[in-house]
């Protein structure tokens, strides 16, 4: 997290998960409202910057799309540094991608600089007829790991903007809370001094809607 020259905020958010879970299409749907059915596997790292206004403040979200293929994981590990938010994505039609979530969370915790506002995303909820992971399983894993949770569809736009917005707002709220509680000038804030841990009594993640039929 850093301040941009105009006094707003710049938040780095990473989108992680196994290959072909739809990370790139989630990002392109959010940033450009586009979906590419012939999307190629991401090589290395790509990013998009999206501006949003929260409480009258300009917030720039720099969203990094990381390659899910094993052979690129060592290359992309450096790009976790500085991230204050993450979407961990699995494909609801492929259980193996859901089973990989904890490994991705471990990698995120290992390579990131501090606590991360994290959303667990079950993508491709438009493919209900071939679902392999239930909504309840997603919710239970999110509760166990203390994550936000949502099911999305990059194809039909279901919950895509909402998933990113929740993460961006969570980062903003926690940064703002830290600024208000600090005697130091906010320009001195570093990511290592920002706590993104939600209050134990805050169950707001459980109220986040998921895709339903």
């Amino acid at each position: 997290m850093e301040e941009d020259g105009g006094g707003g905020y710049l938040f780095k958010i990473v989108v992680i998960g196994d290959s072909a879970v739809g990370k790139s299409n989630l990002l392109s749907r959010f940033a450009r409202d586009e979906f590419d059915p012939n999307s190629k596997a991401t090589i290395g790292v790509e990013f998009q910057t999206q501006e949003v206004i929260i409480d009258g403040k300009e917030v720039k979200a720099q969203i990094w799309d990381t390659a899910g293929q094993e052979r690129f994981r060592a290359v992309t590990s450096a790009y976790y540094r500085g991230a204050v938010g993450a979407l961990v994505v699995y494909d609801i039609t492929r259980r193996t991608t859901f089973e990989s979530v904890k490994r991705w969370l471990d990698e995120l915790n290992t390579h990131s600089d501090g606590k991360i506002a994290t959303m667990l995303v079950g993508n491709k909820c438009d493919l209900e007829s071939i679902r392999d992971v239930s909504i309840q399983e997603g919710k239970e894993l999110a509760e166990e790991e203390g994550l936000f949770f949502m099911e999305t569809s990059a194809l039909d736009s279901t919950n895509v903007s909402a998933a990113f917005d929740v993460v961006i707002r969570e980062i903003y709220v926690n940064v703002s809370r830290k600024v208000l509680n600090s005697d130091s000038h906010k320009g001195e804030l570093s990511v290592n001094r920002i706590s993104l841990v939600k209050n134990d009594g805050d169950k707001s993640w459980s109220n986040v809607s998921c895709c339903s039929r």
Side-chain angles (χ1 to χ4, degrees), residues 75-96:
V75 176
T76 60
S77 64
Y79 291 89
Y80 288 102
R81 287 197 286 273
V84 289
L87 278 73
V88 184
V89 186
Y90 65 92
D91 177 348
I92 71 160
T93 72
R94 290 192 291 145
R95 179 163 292 277
T96 55

Side-chain angles (χ1 to χ4, degrees), residues 15 21-23 25-27 29 35 87-93 119-128 131 135 149-164 208-213:
V15 184
V21 295
K23 300 186 298 296
N25 271 321
L26 282 171
L27 178 52
R29 176 64 78 187
F35 180 87
L87 278 73
V88 184
V89 186
Y90 65 92
D91 177 348
I92 71 160
T93 72
M119 168 77 74
L120 177 63
V121 175
N123 193 36
K124 305 187 184 180
C125 69
D126 53 286
L127 299 176
E128 182 67 37
R131 174 188 288 275
I135 292 174
F149 171 69
M150 216 175 265
E151 286 198 343
T152 62
S153 169
L155 176 65
D156 65 18
S157 300
T158 300
N159 284 340
V160 175
S161 291
F164 283 99
V208 176
S209 61
C210 62
C211 179
S212 59
R213 294 283 171 178

Side-chain angles (χ1 to χ4, degrees), residues 14-21 23-24 40-46 64-77 79-80 103-104 107:
V14 292
V15 184
I16 58 178
D18 284 1
S19 182
V21 295
K23 300 186 298 296
S24 297
K40 301 284 195 302
T42 302
I43 305 300
V45 174
E46 301 171 354
W64 293 72
D65 174 21
T66 54
Q69 302 98 316
E70 291 291 330
R71 66 183 181 277
F72 293 116
R73 288 178 64 210
V75 176
T76 60
S77 64
Y79 291 89
Y80 288 102
R103 188 194 71 199
W104 285 106
E107 185 165 296

Side-chain angles (χ1 to χ4, degrees), residues 7-67:
Y9 292 104
L10 176 64
F11 299 150
K12 180 178 178 180
I13 299 170
V14 292
V15 184
I16 58 178
D18 284 1
S19 182
V21 295
K23 300 186 298 296
S24 297
N25 271 321
L26 282 171
L27 178 52
S28 62
R29 176 64 78 187
F30 175 63
R32 304 188 302 276
D33 196 23
E34 294 176 359
F35 180 87
D36 180 4
N38 301 311
S39 177
K40 301 284 195 302
T42 302
I43 305 300
V45 174
E46 301 171 354
F47 72 87
Q48 300 274 345
T49 300
Q50 188 77 352
E51 294 184 11
V52 297
I53 303 296
I54 302 178
D55 297 340
K57 299 279 184 66
E58 181 182 278
V59 174
K60 291 181 181 177
Q62 192 178 77
I63 305 166
W64 293 72
D65 174 21
T66 54

